[in-house]
Amino acid sequence: MQWHKVSIYTTAAGIDPVCGRLLSLNVAGFEIEDKDDFNDFLENNHQYWDYVDDELMAEKQGETRVIIYISDNEEGAKLLMSVRDELTALKSMDAAGEYGRLELELESMREEDWEENWKQYFHPIPVGDRLIIKPEWETLENTEGKIVFNIDPGMTFGSGQHETTRLCVEQLDKRVQPGMEVLDLGCGSGILSIIALMLGAGRAYAIDIDPNCKKIAYSNAALNGIGKDVYTVEDGNILTDEGVKAKIEALGGHDIVVANIVADVIIPLSADARRYMKEGATFICCGIIEPRLGEVKEALKNNGFEIIEQKNENDWYCLVAR
């Protein structure tokens, strides 16, 4: 089996948070290269200076990185997407930039080659009662009367295959009514907000901390015949930027707010979500692993929400609150 080396660039302060995210994905083996540790070693061990060559010095003076190895198969492709999603969520929490750039580097092949290779593992999948998520490069002859959502996610955001995406889509399928206004917090490739519009929502507003979200979400919207007259995508930090919060609040209340992120973002977000909702509106939150489920439930209840439904797929949970 072929393996690919993946380097996650961070800082000394970011090592524990990054490794924690990897452990949550059941990635138990990783290497850590920390320039601060190396500098401390040199400072306290002068006797070894003669044995440290210039090439090693140059290598260790770079950024801190956490290294993992992923297999060149379907499971490896899914894992890489999940790692990217986790880093995006972690970046959204790091307002001070203490964890560095939190970006990936694939060393065993060029990333643009990987972007083409991984497509072989992505096939149409039915979700809920009315939907099929389909990669735009495939042809589907029999749609069985279902709504077909076409997607070209690139490698930056989710592809729709993850359990959390399916859980959210199933809830949207059940709850979106014609003319509703939907807010997608942490929109990534725009899957949830675009699908809400395809299900009959009148307008959707989407936001993500990664500036790339605008290009990718608008591209996916165009693939599905959704225009900017009903769909708006912005980038910004929904947790820390008061200007972003005020801008969303000024839109008026939404009928459905959906946040497919992680518990560490949903918990503080629950304190602000009501600002963006109509009376009696629905809050769909997902990306919650079982050990964090109790914390998220408590945060929702403490911020005035009533949990009306709980669903899970494997170890991932989705909560629906009003």
Side-chain angles (χ1 to χ4, degrees):
M1 179 184 294
Q2 185 174 356
W3 295 81
H4 303 295
K5 182 178 181 180
V6 180
S7 297
I8 302 169
Y9 287 95
T10 182
T11 62
I15 291 173
D16 285 345
V18 167
C19 292
R21 297 281 174 158
L22 294 175
L23 287 169
S24 75
L25 297 173
N26 296 317
V27 178
F30 35 78
E31 302 173 15
I32 298 172
E33 291 186 357
D34 184 8
K35 65 169 185 160
D36 291 340
D37 285 346
F38 184 68
N39 290 338
D40 288 342
F41 169 79
L42 291 181
E43 184 64 29
N44 295 296
N45 295 275
H46 290 215
Q47 68 270 29
Y48 296 124
W49 281 14
D50 289 341
Y51 301 100
V52 180
D53 62 25
D54 291 339
E55 183 177 342
L56 180 60
M57 283 287 290
E59 176 185 336
K60 295 299 184 181
Q61 288 306 313
E63 295 174 271
T64 294
R65 62 178 180 168
V66 178
I67 299 168
I68 62 173
Y69 295 86
I70 60 174
S71 54
D72 182 18
N73 56 19
E74 182 175 2
E75 290 305 311
K78 290 181 178 179
L79 176 59
L80 183 61
M81 298 295 290
S82 295
V83 171
R84 285 181 179 272
D85 289 344
E86 290 292 338
L87 292 180
T88 298
L90 185 59
K91 187 180 293 186
S92 72
M93 300 173 56
D94 184 27
E98 296 179 1
Y99 303 156
R101 54 190 175 107
L102 295 174
E103 294 178 355
L104 298 181
E105 178 181 89
L106 296 164
E107 297 187 26
S108 56
M109 69 165 58
R110 294 182 305 167
E111 185 162 355
E112 54 266 33
D113 292 337
W114 175 270
E115 290 180 8
E116 291 303 312
N117 286 357
W118 79 283
K119 290 181 179 180
Q120 66 184 297
Y121 306 119
F122 184 17
H123 305 290
I125 51 174
V127 183
D129 295 328
R130 294 185 285 168
L131 287 153
I132 296 175
I133 297 178
K134 181 185 79 67
E136 60 89 19
W137 56 84
E138 286 208 2
T139 300
L140 190 62
E141 295 183 0
N142 183 11
T143 65
E144 300 178 345
K146 294 188 175 183
I147 298 170
V148 178
F149 171 74
N150 290 283
I151 183 172
D152 183 7
M155 286 297 291
T156 306
F157 298 107
S159 63
Q161 293 186 312
H162 197 275
E163 292 95 330
T164 61
T165 305
R166 292 197 295 269
L167 287 166
C168 286
V169 170
E170 288 169 0
Q171 290 298 327
L172 290 171
D173 191 11
K174 289 171 56 176
R175 300 177 186 281
V176 170
Q177 299 295 323
M180 278 187 167
E181 297 193 358
V182 175
L183 175 62
D184 184 1
L185 301 176
C187 65
S189 50
I191 293 176
L192 300 180
S193 40
I194 296 169
I195 283 178
L197 289 165
M198 296 175 72
L199 288 169
R203 184 165 188 83
Y205 185 95
I207 187 166
D208 196 283
I209 194 170
D210 192 325
N212 291 321
C213 73
K214 297 177 70 172
K215 177 182 177 182
I216 295 173
Y218 277 136
S219 175
N220 284 324
L223 280 176
N224 293 279
I226 300 296
K228 294 183 180 179
D229 56 325
V230 295
Y231 190 42
T232 302
V233 187
E234 300 283 358
D235 63 273
N237 193 319
I238 193 64
L239 293 183
T240 62
D241 192 325
E242 291 299 327
V244 169
K245 295 180 183 181
K247 186 174 183 179
I248 296 175
E249 190 172 10
L251 296 172
H254 293 81
D255 299 285
I256 294 177
V257 175
V258 57
N260 183 23
I261 317 180
V262 290
D264 284 334
V265 178
I266 294 170
I267 289 171
L269 184 60
S270 65
D272 289 321
R274 293 182 65 182
R275 295 169 56 179
Y276 318 131
M277 302 172 70
K278 295 178 181 177
E279 188 67 29
T282 302
F283 184 26
I284 302 169
C285 48
C286 199
I288 309 160
I289 57 175
E290 186 172 11
R292 308 298 304 280
L293 185 61
E295 295 176 64
V296 176
K297 285 183 174 181
E298 183 178 5
L300 288 169
K301 291 176 182 177
N302 289 342
N303 285 293
F305 285 96
E306 174 194 2
I307 297 171
I308 59 174
E309 190 170 350
Q310 172 182 311
K311 294 286 186 179
N312 73 288
E313 186 172 339
N314 297 321
D315 295 327
W316 295 98
Y317 284 77
C318 177
L319 296 174
V320 182
R322 180 177 293 118

